[in-house]
Amino acid sequence: VLPFLGQIMTANIIDGKKIAQETISEIKKSIAKNINDGISPPGLAVVIVGDNPASAIYVRNKRIACEEVGMKSFNHDLPEDTSEKELIELVKSLNNNSEVHGILVQLPLPDHISETKIIESIDPIKDVDGFHPYTIGRLMQRIPVLRPCTSIGVITMLDSIGIDPMGKHAVIVGASNLVGRPLALELLLRGATTTVCHKFTKNLESFVNQAEILAVAVGKIGIIPGNWIKKDAVVFDIGINRDENGKVTGDVDFKTAKEQASWISPVSGGFGPMTVAMLLKNTLIASSINMSNNKKERKISSDKWINI
Ligand code: GUN
């Protein structure tokens, strides 16, 4: 639709909830068909240590979604004082349990447990979070197997709204292991010219205003004012913050950003459901994946992600 002179354009909303629901329906159908063919359902183990209230909500959503699609959910709720050794023993037992195809240990972990050690104790074939160095290394080498959930969620959303990142300038703000870095690898894989900004970046605005695709995952309310955003950019706000009234708020100033962007993901109803849907998709893939060193099979496993 052409804008009338003087009228302010507002962005289309990227409906993460709807896109997630489409993926969930496909997964549900696929599992039902497999069960009909005598193939047992995928199993997902979700482990939480301690009682971080935000983590408890995320874990609950993951477990509910798991049961909804017909997967088997293995729940492990461990006390705050669980030792690193005990947690590693649990992960090892899940690695050896043939009914468990995916293992997720909710982060953050209590300070006395090394997240690196725990992530590295997960068998990469069951690494449905996509955080194991093997998984990230495969993505970096352009032979992905399982894919980190939030970043593949962004790619799925781009595909869903018909935006091809090839040759576009994508700017990511935030260089975390969980979101910024894997997203940079995904966007590179799809042919975007990719810039990663972080807390030491000087003149952030000068990068943000070049972005045809902008993804922000910092965790600071309003770090990106709307007037920094390039006209018609596609904007993903991956920040989850609470304002002084307890309301969930993103990193991008939504009100002003939507006057600049062509597409924008809303703060809530965007990435929560999307990340869960991608986790279930990874679990379904993990239940059928073959981590062979055979090159042809590697290709099959990465295609599988795209075509499932
Ligand atoms: N904490 C915040 N996001 C995530 C996630 O995607 N996976 C895990 N394991 N922990 C998280």
Side-chain angles (χ1 to χ4, degrees):
V1 183
L2 285 171
F4 295 111
L5 269 182
Q7 189 183 357
I8 294 168
M9 281 285 280
T10 69
N12 296 294
I13 301 296
I14 305 171
D15 191 344
K17 217 171 173 174
K18 184 163 158 257
I19 302 166
Q21 203 49 56
E22 286 163 9
T23 306
I24 297 254
S25 304
E26 282 171 37
I27 296 170
K28 205 170 175 173
K29 265 189 241 158
S30 177
I31 293 172
K33 184 182 172 297
N34 284 347
I35 290 174
N36 219 15
D37 295 344
I39 300 166
S40 52
L44 173 65
V46 179
V47 181
I48 182 169
V49 183
D51 40 29
N52 177 317
S55 291
I57 295 170
Y58 296 144
V59 162
R60 188 170 162 266
N61 290 341
K62 289 168 187 177
R63 288 170 175 167
I64 291 172
C66 184
E67 307 249 339
E68 260 177 24
V69 295
M71 286 185 188
K72 214 168 160 191
S73 167
F74 295 80
N75 300 337
H76 295 272
D77 297 69
L78 307 180
E80 181 83 21
D81 63 358
T82 301
S83 72
E84 187 177 276
K85 192 163 169 278
E86 285 169 317
L87 185 54
I88 290 176
E89 285 308 312
L90 170 63
V91 171
K92 280 186 182 162
S93 76
L94 296 169
N95 284 342
N96 292 326
N97 183 341
S98 61
E99 277 190 293
V100 173
H101 302 95
I103 302 169
L104 179 146
V105 180
Q106 187 67 22
L107 305 177
L109 288 169
D111 288 344
H112 65 276
I113 301 178
S114 156
E115 290 186 353
T116 304
K117 279 192 191 159
I118 300 306
I119 290 170
E120 290 188 0
S121 71
I122 296 171
D123 184 341
I125 207 167
K126 301 189 177 187
D127 178 30
V128 287
D129 254 332
F131 296 158
H132 191 286
Y134 179 85
T135 316
I136 290 289
R138 288 289 295 252
L139 177 59
M140 201 196 76
Q141 295 188 331
R142 297 179 277 179
I143 40 175
V145 277
L146 297 170
R147 323 275 278 259
C149 302
T150 305
S151 48
I152 198 65
V154 171
I155 301 296
T156 305
M157 285 161 141
L158 281 169
D159 286 343
S160 169
I161 61 174
I163 305 283
D164 183 358
M166 180 79 71
K168 293 199 168 63
H169 190 185
V171 176
I172 299 162
V173 185
S176 69
N177 285 354
L178 268 61
V179 183
R181 284 165 199 256
L183 181 54
L185 297 174
E186 290 288 357
L187 285 163
L188 266 178
L189 190 60
R190 295 293 294 267
T193 301
T194 305
T195 300
V196 183
C197 300
H198 45 73
K199 62 182 164 196
F200 302 116
T201 297
K202 291 177 188 153
N203 197 357
L204 182 59
E205 179 179 356
S206 71
F207 293 98
V208 170
N209 70 27
Q210 292 178 48
E212 296 170 278
I213 297 169
L214 175 69
V216 189
V218 174
K220 259 196 186 156
I221 294 181
I223 187 175
I224 308 295
N227 64 6
W228 286 13
I229 292 169
K230 187 178 169 72
K231 193 85 198 119
D232 292 334
V234 179
V235 177
F236 295 94
D237 187 353
I238 314 171
I240 302 176
N241 314 292
R242 286 198 185 264
D243 69 10
E244 64 273 20
N245 303 316
K247 189 170 168 263
V248 176
T249 312
D251 290 348
V252 176
D253 184 61
F254 185 78
K255 235 176 102 185
T256 50
K258 75 180 198 313
E259 291 169 11
Q260 291 292 109
S262 59
W263 288 92
I264 188 166
S265 69
V267 181
S268 55
F271 279 93
M274 206 59 217
T275 300
V276 172
M278 298 299 107
L279 169 70
L280 298 180
K281 187 161 169 176
N282 269 346
T283 308
L284 180 59
I285 293 165
S287 72
S288 63
I289 213 166
N290 180 347
M291 302 279 254
S292 163
N293 278 330
N294 177 306
K295 255 200 161 152
K296 190 161 159 257
E297 288 188 31
R298 279 183 188 175
K299 185 154 188 328
I300 292 168
S301 56
S302 29
D303 283 354
K304 228 180 215 169
W305 219 105
I306 292 152
N307 294 331
I308 199 161

